[in-house]
Amino acid sequence: MENHFNDQSTECSASSESNDCQRVDQYGFERSEDFSYESYEDLMSKHLAVVTRRSKKWSKLLQGTVKVENNVKVKRYVRKGVPFENRTQIWMAASGAQDRLERNPGYYHSILKAQHDPKIEEVIHADMHRTFPDNIQFRASSQPCLQKALFNVLLAYGHHNKDVGYCQGMNFIAGYLLIVTKDEEKSFWLMDALLGTILPDYYTPTMLGLKMDQEVLGELVRMKVPAVWQVMNQHDVMWTLVVSRWFICLYVDILPVETVLRIWDCLFYEGSKILFRVALTLIRRHQNLISQAQSLPEICKRFKQITHGEYVEDCHTFMQKIFMEPGGLSTATITKLRKMCRNRISSAQNPPSH
């Protein structure tokens, strides 16, 4: 099978123009016109000091092993951030993807070689040019170009999980997995862990899991940030209007790259509860801004505003906040709310016949 990756980094080569280099971040994303290099330098100097420190601690913890223990110490380490060079290994081990890959050698490549459903191929093709147009790694002119790898991962997953097939949002998730792992097969198995185990029913045709978790967030906001719940209720705003992209894209293209990767560290290790912590922290932090909105369009606009700015750019501080701001959030509470919301949605979809 052709390998679409080599060791080429997204960082600019020495022969590149330094200006070109500055215009693109380490993951290949172009920086916006109003990008502040000054505040970025300041943030990065602090960020690199933390990353270097964490990197040494992770090296000592792992000591050449590929297994990741499930204990309080590792959980604390994950919450403080997994170094980029260890990320693939940690995600693969923590999510069970490594285990599935080893139990199914050659499976991924066999799906790619098999006969494919032209309908799935067609919808995936249609989304290719919409996937990270601001990332140089996904352009046809790029060497290596991640578009072919992205197509392969999505095509294989669509045939592996026929209940899901393909739906929009999956392209962003597969894209991020490829940026991190630089490996099609590992991206495929991580996708399987996310969509099959960590977030079941998010991407099925009924999207019951997604709808349920949006309702669960609404219930959590009612308990923890009543002022926002009140304004949402007053203007009859459905949660799906303001947070569906947060959940379906797992914050990709919503929050800064570095912050998303830190959220995903916890998502692979601890599970989907982290998605609620992030949402609650954003809403609670900006509750005054949201609750002062006077109309439905204004509420939607303010929910977009709260995912930008310094608060979310400083990933270390933001990640500390998500474990403090929302307060206690037990698995038992989430399970209970999910059951309640699932029943509510099912009843609305299948009203009892008289």
Side-chain angles (χ1 to χ4, degrees):
M1 183 74 198
E2 184 191 349
N3 181 19
H4 298 284
F5 300 103
N6 57 30
D7 293 330
Q8 184 180 335
S9 161
T10 57
E11 296 286 358
C12 299
S13 63
S15 60
S16 297
E17 292 279 337
S18 61
N19 284 351
D20 289 344
C21 190
Q22 286 185 334
R23 284 205 297 266
V24 176
D25 71 14
Q26 70 182 98
Y27 304 108
F29 289 98
E30 289 178 325
R31 295 189 166 120
S32 60
E33 295 279 318
D34 58 353
F35 183 78
S36 168
Y37 288 93
E38 211 169 300
S39 55
Y40 174 73
E41 294 285 325
D42 186 42
L43 191 65
M44 277 312 282
S45 60
K46 294 174 195 163
H47 174 70
L48 288 172
V50 176
V51 169
T52 307
R53 204 165 59 239
R54 302 302 318 153
S55 198
K56 284 176 185 167
K57 291 195 171 188
W58 272 99
S59 295
K60 198 175 169 187
L61 177 80
L62 294 169
Q63 289 180 333
T65 178
V66 292
K67 298 283 178 224
V68 178
E69 300 290 325
N70 196 350
N71 60 39
V72 176
K73 184 180 181 180
V74 178
K75 186 184 198 176
R76 192 175 73 244
Y77 271 42
V78 169
R79 287 183 174 188
K80 288 184 175 181
V82 178
F84 191 80
E85 64 270 20
N86 303 118
R87 208 160 241 148
T88 302
Q89 179 194 339
I90 301 302
W91 288 5
M92 290 290 290
S95 65
Q98 184 64 39
D99 190 41
R100 283 196 280 274
L101 185 154
E102 287 169 12
R103 285 206 314 263
N104 299 279
Y107 176 73
Y108 171 72
H109 297 299
S110 71
I111 302 180
L112 287 181
K113 286 174 187 164
Q115 195 115 30
H116 299 137
D117 180 341
K119 281 183 186 168
I120 292 181
E121 283 190 321
E122 196 181 321
V123 288
I124 295 171
H125 262 305
D127 260 3
M128 282 298 105
H129 70 284
R130 289 194 280 257
T131 310
F132 305 133
D134 59 339
N135 189 305
I136 60 168
Q137 296 192 84
F138 289 87
R139 289 184 190 153
S141 57
S142 176
Q143 283 298 325
C145 170
L146 293 190
Q147 271 207 8
K148 179 61 180 160
L150 177 65
F151 180 79
N152 285 348
V153 171
L154 292 170
L155 184 68
Y157 191 79
H159 287 82
H160 163 69
N161 186 343
K162 291 189 170 69
D163 290 340
V164 169
Y166 174 75
C167 83
Q168 283 186 336
M170 285 166 60
N171 51 328
F172 291 113
I173 292 163
Y176 256 48
L177 291 172
L178 286 165
I179 287 169
V180 171
T181 66
K182 296 282 188 286
D183 185 296
E184 285 183 27
E185 191 174 19
K186 286 178 179 175
S187 296
F188 168 81
W189 287 111
L190 284 170
M191 190 124 175
D192 187 48
L194 271 177
L195 275 55
T197 309
I198 300 170
L199 303 163
D201 287 344
Y202 259 49
Y203 304 89
T204 49
T206 61
M207 290 186 158
L208 183 57
L210 179 72
K211 290 172 186 169
M212 173 185 71
D213 279 358
Q214 289 171 171
E215 293 290 315
V216 169
L217 177 64
E219 293 298 326
L220 290 168
V221 171
R222 190 216 294 252
M223 291 189 278
K224 292 174 179 285
V225 204
V228 171
W229 185 82
Q230 215 170 337
V231 79
M232 293 285 285
N233 221 27
Q234 189 186 330
H235 295 284
D236 206 17
V237 184
M238 290 172 72
W239 283 99
T240 187
L241 263 181
V242 289
V243 299
S244 64
R245 279 194 73 231
W246 294 8
F247 282 86
I248 204 160
C249 295
L250 310 180
Y251 297 102
V252 172
D253 242 22
I254 310 288
L255 295 174
V257 186
E258 206 63 59
T259 306
V260 174
L261 294 176
R262 289 286 301 275
I263 293 165
W264 282 25
D265 289 343
C266 300
L267 180 63
F268 281 115
Y269 189 79
E270 297 183 48
S272 58
K273 192 162 71 170
I274 191 79
L275 302 179
F276 298 114
R277 283 201 168 277
V278 175
L280 283 169
T281 302
L282 288 168
I283 292 166
R284 191 183 155 101
R285 166 82 180 188
H286 301 283
Q287 58 182 308
N288 292 342
L289 178 77
I290 299 166
S291 55
Q292 285 162 15
Q294 301 293 314
S295 65
L296 186 149
E298 212 176 311
I299 290 171
C300 293
K301 187 181 171 187
R302 291 183 183 199
F303 264 89
K304 278 185 181 154
Q305 271 177 289
I306 68 174
T307 59
H308 299 278
E310 282 179 31
Y311 186 63
V312 292
E313 279 160 15
D314 182 352
C315 61
H316 300 299
T317 308
F318 182 72
M319 291 305 287
Q320 285 169 354
K321 294 283 184 195
I322 69 169
F323 293 108
M324 287 155 43
E325 280 271 333
L329 197 61
S330 71
T331 303
T333 301
I334 299 292
T335 305
K336 188 179 166 187
L337 288 174
R338 276 177 166 160
K339 191 177 178 184
M340 182 184 89
C341 292
R342 185 178 275 262
N343 289 341
R344 189 197 296 162
I345 293 162
S346 297
S347 301
Q349 285 173 344
N350 307 296
S353 53
H354 296 289

